[in-house]
Amino acid sequence: MTGQLVRHEEAGGVATITLDSPQNRNALSAGLLRELDEALTWALGEPGVRVIVLTGAGPVFCAGADLKEPKAAQVTTAFPDILSLIWESPKPVVCRLNGTARAGGLGLVAACDFAVAPETASFAFTEVRLGVAPAMIAVTCLRRLDPRAAAEYFLTGEVFTARRAAEIGLLTRAVPDEDLDAIVAHYTGMLLRGGPEALAITKRLVREVPAMPVEEGLRRMAALSAERFTSEEGQEGIRAFMEKRPPTWVPGDAS
């Protein structure tokens, strides 16, 4: 399906959502955020979608807020909902950065479970140089970034490379430009092999378990482990392993 500013399509269990406003470097306008919300809501509600890929059209993934946007208040209201949809998504979200990202665009990157960018891409938290602050995106970015690096780049607004972005936790990987699609396909293919319920639960574990006291964590995780082994999905996975076949949730072309 094609919208004015955001496109979405599905193939083989993977929904690809594309920011399609290259004329302003996919800036976060009220219109783009509205269409992005609609596309994400569609992907989350579509039973056939197992994995979501977020990408952009043109040479820039996202330039951040649209500074020419006359409806700035609407952008401020809508953007937290978008970040929450991605962060809380029970379906894994892979960010395929087609190029450079700045400011608010990095909030989208950090909200995704995986983020892969070409080595030629660059990044910057430019807010302080405009006299504003990276307030909303701090919620997702500070959960990914090394604290020293966050202070360095939030406070200076300095441009940094994709390799550096991977070193400090903003990216999963920085890859040669010609390898971008193959690496994204590698991740989506691997994710399609995981049980949908198991993936949703494991996403929460990654975020929540580190904050638990050890004794509480062990107790709760032991109960969860037992529940998963006896669940319908867990039983199907075990049967498939024993019978040397793909589980029923794996699409035919991913097995």
Side-chain angles (χ1 to χ4, degrees):
M1 180 180 293
T2 302
Q4 290 186 327
L5 302 172
V6 176
R7 291 184 282 112
H8 64 78
E9 57 190 356
E10 184 272 332
V14 178
T16 301
I17 297 174
T18 305
L19 308 182
D20 193 16
S21 182
Q23 68 276 7
N24 69 346
R25 303 188 301 165
N26 297 318
L28 301 173
S29 64
L32 184 141
L33 288 174
R34 182 179 62 255
E35 292 187 23
L36 180 54
D37 183 282
E38 292 169 356
L40 287 166
T41 300
W42 162 79
L44 291 170
E46 183 63 35
V49 171
R50 296 277 312 287
V51 179
I52 300 169
V53 173
L54 178 63
T55 189
V60 174
F61 170 66
C62 180
D66 185 350
L67 299 180
K68 298 179 181 179
E69 174 63 64
K71 301 176 181 178
Q74 291 185 26
V75 173
T76 301
T77 301
F79 196 35
D81 293 337
I82 296 291
L83 295 178
S84 181
L85 274 177
I86 297 171
W87 185 265
E88 299 293 340
S89 166
K91 302 177 182 183
V93 185
V94 179
C95 188
R96 175 198 176 275
L97 285 98
N98 51 297
T100 289
R102 295 287 187 270
L106 297 178
L108 293 174
V109 175
C112 296
D113 301 294
F114 296 78
V116 183
E119 292 175 337
T120 52
S122 67
F123 305 90
F125 296 96
T126 53
E127 288 87 347
V128 293
R129 297 191 177 190
L130 299 174
V132 296
M136 286 183 288
I137 66 170
V139 178
T140 55
C141 289
L142 293 180
R143 285 169 165 78
R144 303 291 189 195
L145 293 172
D146 170 84
R148 285 288 190 186
E152 177 182 2
Y153 295 116
F154 272 30
L155 292 171
T156 66
E158 181 182 9
V159 175
F160 54 99
T161 66
R163 287 190 177 184
R164 178 61 174 155
E167 289 175 356
I168 64 178
L170 182 63
L171 296 179
T172 307
R173 292 183 65 177
V175 302
D177 293 45
E178 62 272 19
D179 294 341
L180 178 63
D181 288 331
I183 297 300
V184 170
H186 166 76
Y187 282 125
T188 58
M190 296 294 285
L191 289 166
L192 288 170
R193 298 177 70 86
E197 294 174 6
L199 286 169
I201 291 168
T202 302
K203 278 193 59 169
R204 295 202 307 269
L205 297 185
V206 171
R207 298 197 301 265
E208 296 173 3
V209 169
M212 293 180 186
V214 172
E215 183 178 352
E216 176 191 350
L218 290 172
R219 184 176 65 255
R220 289 175 57 182
M221 292 307 105
L224 177 59
S225 181
E227 185 276 326
R228 291 310 301 164
F229 272 102
T230 58
S231 69
E232 182 177 345
E233 187 176 273
Q235 288 292 297
E236 164 59 16
I238 293 168
R239 280 195 304 271
F241 176 79
M242 299 299 291
E243 296 169 7
K244 298 182 179 176
R245 61 171 174 81
T248 54
W249 61 73
V250 178
D253 55 359
S255 59

